[in-house]
Amino acid sequence: MAQEIWIEVRVLVPARMQEEASLYLTDFSGRGVIIEEENVPEGGVVIRAYFRPEEYGAWQRQELQDYLKRLSNYELYPLGLEVRQVAEEDWAEAWKAHFKPLKVTDRIVIRPPWEDYAAQPGETVITIYPGMAFGTGRHASTLLCLKALEQVWEQSLPSSGDPWQVLDVGTGTGILALAAARLGAEVLAIDLDPEAVAAALENVRLNQLLDRVWVEGTPLTSLRQRFALILANITAPDLLQLAEAITARLLKDGVLIISGFLTEDVPRLSDRYQELGLHPTGSLSHEDWSALIFRRP
């Protein structure tokens, strides 16, 4: 059987733009991206995105050129674009070459299944096979959610002894759901992308957490259960559109953590969720990205 061929798009951006560009290319391709920092011009980062041949045509080429042009208007150099065909096996090996164990918070270490890691005292190791879903702990929005999760857990440990019921909206690889489960929660992880659901299920199996994390393609609006903690690391437009549905699923005294947006979006998101009766209790930021924490009184 012939190997499947993919279109690899390699974009060179300034290092300080890697978060924004990686999120853009993840949304644009609908798949995870590779961030390559070695053997590139000083101050730059190469981001690789992948498309099936039928998904990459004239419109996509023009969109990428327009994106680079918008970056250059902000004097963000150096910039470059390279497009080539690669075999699926080469794509898989590229993941392995550029995805190493990474300590993302004071206690959480993310490792791929092909890399060994000896946990130090107090560390929690989560195994992530990224596949084509978003969420390896390297993006600022994921990092902020993980830090906010640890902060909330330390401040609001379940008093009844029963596991917290947690909802992870737009789970991607399942990284946030897995982190919450490692802390002792029972988690429902949902995503409308079938590839994300498949990736998250595989990661739940790799971490032997099938008894604590359930992954579904169920739409948020179809849920009726309410949760003590909701995690939503999705885009600002989605957070605004789903604000009522997210808030409706939060228990009294429950906590909501949202991320996936730029700091400039904080005011309108904060206002929207406060309009729905939630109280802001914290915020975190990293580079140009932010996360917000709310509690339902």
PDB file of all heavy atoms in Angstrom, residues 144 263 283-287 289-291:
ATOM      1  N   LEU A 144      -1.228  28.318  30.823  1.00  0.00           N
ATOM      2  CA  LEU A 144      -1.993  29.136  31.758  1.00  0.00           C
ATOM      3  C   LEU A 144      -3.124  28.343  32.402  1.00  0.00           C
ATOM      4  O   LEU A 144      -3.399  28.478  33.600  1.00  0.00           O
ATOM      5  CB  LEU A 144      -2.550  30.372  31.043  1.00  0.00           C
ATOM      6  CG  LEU A 144      -1.514  31.414  30.626  1.00  0.00           C
ATOM      7  CD1 LEU A 144      -2.145  32.450  29.702  1.00  0.00           C
ATOM      8  CD2 LEU A 144      -0.918  32.094  31.845  1.00  0.00           C
ATOM      9  N   THR A 263      -4.575  38.944  25.700  1.00  0.00           N
ATOM     10  CA  THR A 263      -4.852  39.830  26.835  1.00  0.00           C
ATOM     11  C   THR A 263      -5.801  40.960  26.447  1.00  0.00           C
ATOM     12  O   THR A 263      -6.609  41.412  27.264  1.00  0.00           O
ATOM     13  CB  THR A 263      -3.527  40.395  27.383  1.00  0.00           C
ATOM     14  OG1 THR A 263      -2.695  39.303  27.792  1.00  0.00           O
ATOM     15  CG2 THR A 263      -3.764  41.302  28.568  1.00  0.00           C
ATOM     16  N   SER A 283      -6.674  35.966  37.663  1.00  0.00           N
ATOM     17  CA  SER A 283      -6.242  36.030  36.270  1.00  0.00           C
ATOM     18  C   SER A 283      -4.761  35.707  36.193  1.00  0.00           C
ATOM     19  O   SER A 283      -4.011  35.946  37.153  1.00  0.00           O
ATOM     20  CB  SER A 283      -6.506  37.415  35.674  1.00  0.00           C
ATOM     21  OG  SER A 283      -5.728  38.403  36.334  1.00  0.00           O
ATOM     22  N   LEU A 284      -4.353  35.136  35.077  1.00  0.00           N
ATOM     23  CA  LEU A 284      -2.955  34.827  34.821  1.00  0.00           C
ATOM     24  C   LEU A 284      -2.629  35.295  33.411  1.00  0.00           C
ATOM     25  O   LEU A 284      -3.517  35.337  32.547  1.00  0.00           O
ATOM     26  CB  LEU A 284      -2.675  33.329  34.937  1.00  0.00           C
ATOM     27  CG  LEU A 284      -2.874  32.632  36.284  1.00  0.00           C
ATOM     28  CD1 LEU A 284      -4.318  32.193  36.448  1.00  0.00           C
ATOM     29  CD2 LEU A 284      -1.970  31.420  36.401  1.00  0.00           C
ATOM     30  N   SER A 285      -1.374  35.610  33.169  1.00  0.00           N
ATOM     31  CA  SER A 285      -0.977  36.016  31.825  1.00  0.00           C
ATOM     32  C   SER A 285       0.422  35.519  31.531  1.00  0.00           C
ATOM     33  O   SER A 285       1.236  35.317  32.439  1.00  0.00           O
ATOM     34  CB  SER A 285      -1.047  37.539  31.675  1.00  0.00           C
ATOM     35  OG  SER A 285      -0.160  38.173  32.573  1.00  0.00           O
ATOM     36  N   HIS A 286       0.674  35.318  30.254  1.00  0.00           N
ATOM     37  CA  HIS A 286       1.994  34.893  29.779  1.00  0.00           C
ATOM     38  C   HIS A 286       2.167  35.441  28.382  1.00  0.00           C
ATOM     39  O   HIS A 286       1.355  35.161  27.491  1.00  0.00           O
ATOM     40  CB  HIS A 286       2.099  33.369  29.780  1.00  0.00           C
ATOM     41  CG  HIS A 286       3.425  32.851  29.296  1.00  0.00           C
ATOM     42  ND1 HIS A 286       4.591  33.031  29.987  1.00  0.00           N
ATOM     43  CD2 HIS A 286       3.758  32.170  28.161  1.00  0.00           C
ATOM     44  CE1 HIS A 286       5.592  32.476  29.327  1.00  0.00           C
ATOM     45  NE2 HIS A 286       5.111  31.965  28.206  1.00  0.00           N
ATOM     46  N   GLU A 287       3.211  36.275  28.225  1.00  0.00           N
ATOM     47  CA  GLU A 287       3.415  36.963  26.954  1.00  0.00           C
ATOM     48  C   GLU A 287       2.130  37.723  26.601  1.00  0.00           C
ATOM     49  O   GLU A 287       1.687  38.544  27.380  1.00  0.00           O
ATOM     50  CB  GLU A 287       3.853  35.966  25.877  1.00  0.00           C
ATOM     51  CG  GLU A 287       5.206  35.330  26.193  1.00  0.00           C
ATOM     52  CD  GLU A 287       5.636  34.266  25.223  1.00  0.00           C
ATOM     53  OE1 GLU A 287       4.808  33.791  24.420  1.00  0.00           O
ATOM     54  OE2 GLU A 287       6.830  33.901  25.256  1.00  0.00           O
ATOM     55  N   TRP A 289      -0.893  36.334  26.133  1.00  0.00           N
ATOM     56  CA  TRP A 289      -2.053  35.483  26.384  1.00  0.00           C
ATOM     57  C   TRP A 289      -2.507  35.580  27.834  1.00  0.00           C
ATOM     58  O   TRP A 289      -1.727  35.884  28.727  1.00  0.00           O
ATOM     59  CB  TRP A 289      -1.711  34.031  26.036  1.00  0.00           C
ATOM     60  CG  TRP A 289      -1.352  33.882  24.595  1.00  0.00           C
ATOM     61  CD1 TRP A 289      -0.129  34.069  24.023  1.00  0.00           C
ATOM     62  CD2 TRP A 289      -2.236  33.571  23.526  1.00  0.00           C
ATOM     63  NE1 TRP A 289      -0.203  33.881  22.661  1.00  0.00           N
ATOM     64  CE2 TRP A 289      -1.477  33.577  22.334  1.00  0.00           C
ATOM     65  CE3 TRP A 289      -3.597  33.277  23.453  1.00  0.00           C
ATOM     66  CZ2 TRP A 289      -2.038  33.299  21.092  1.00  0.00           C
ATOM     67  CZ3 TRP A 289      -4.155  32.994  22.223  1.00  0.00           C
ATOM     68  CH2 TRP A 289      -3.378  33.003  21.052  1.00  0.00           C
ATOM     69  N   SER A 290      -3.786  35.299  28.060  1.00  0.00           N
ATOM     70  CA  SER A 290      -4.337  35.398  29.411  1.00  0.00           C
ATOM     71  C   SER A 290      -5.298  34.252  29.700  1.00  0.00           C
ATOM     72  O   SER A 290      -5.804  33.584  28.789  1.00  0.00           O
ATOM     73  CB  SER A 290      -5.084  36.732  29.594  1.00  0.00           C
ATOM     74  OG  SER A 290      -4.182  37.807  29.641  1.00  0.00           O
ATOM     75  N   ALA A 291      -5.548  34.040  30.995  1.00  0.00           N
ATOM     76  CA  ALA A 291      -6.574  33.114  31.477  1.00  0.00           C
ATOM     77  C   ALA A 291      -7.323  33.815  32.595  1.00  0.00           C
ATOM     78  O   ALA A 291      -6.756  34.637  33.326  1.00  0.00           O
ATOM     79  CB  ALA A 291      -5.946  31.821  31.985  1.00  0.00           C
TER      80      ALA A 291
END
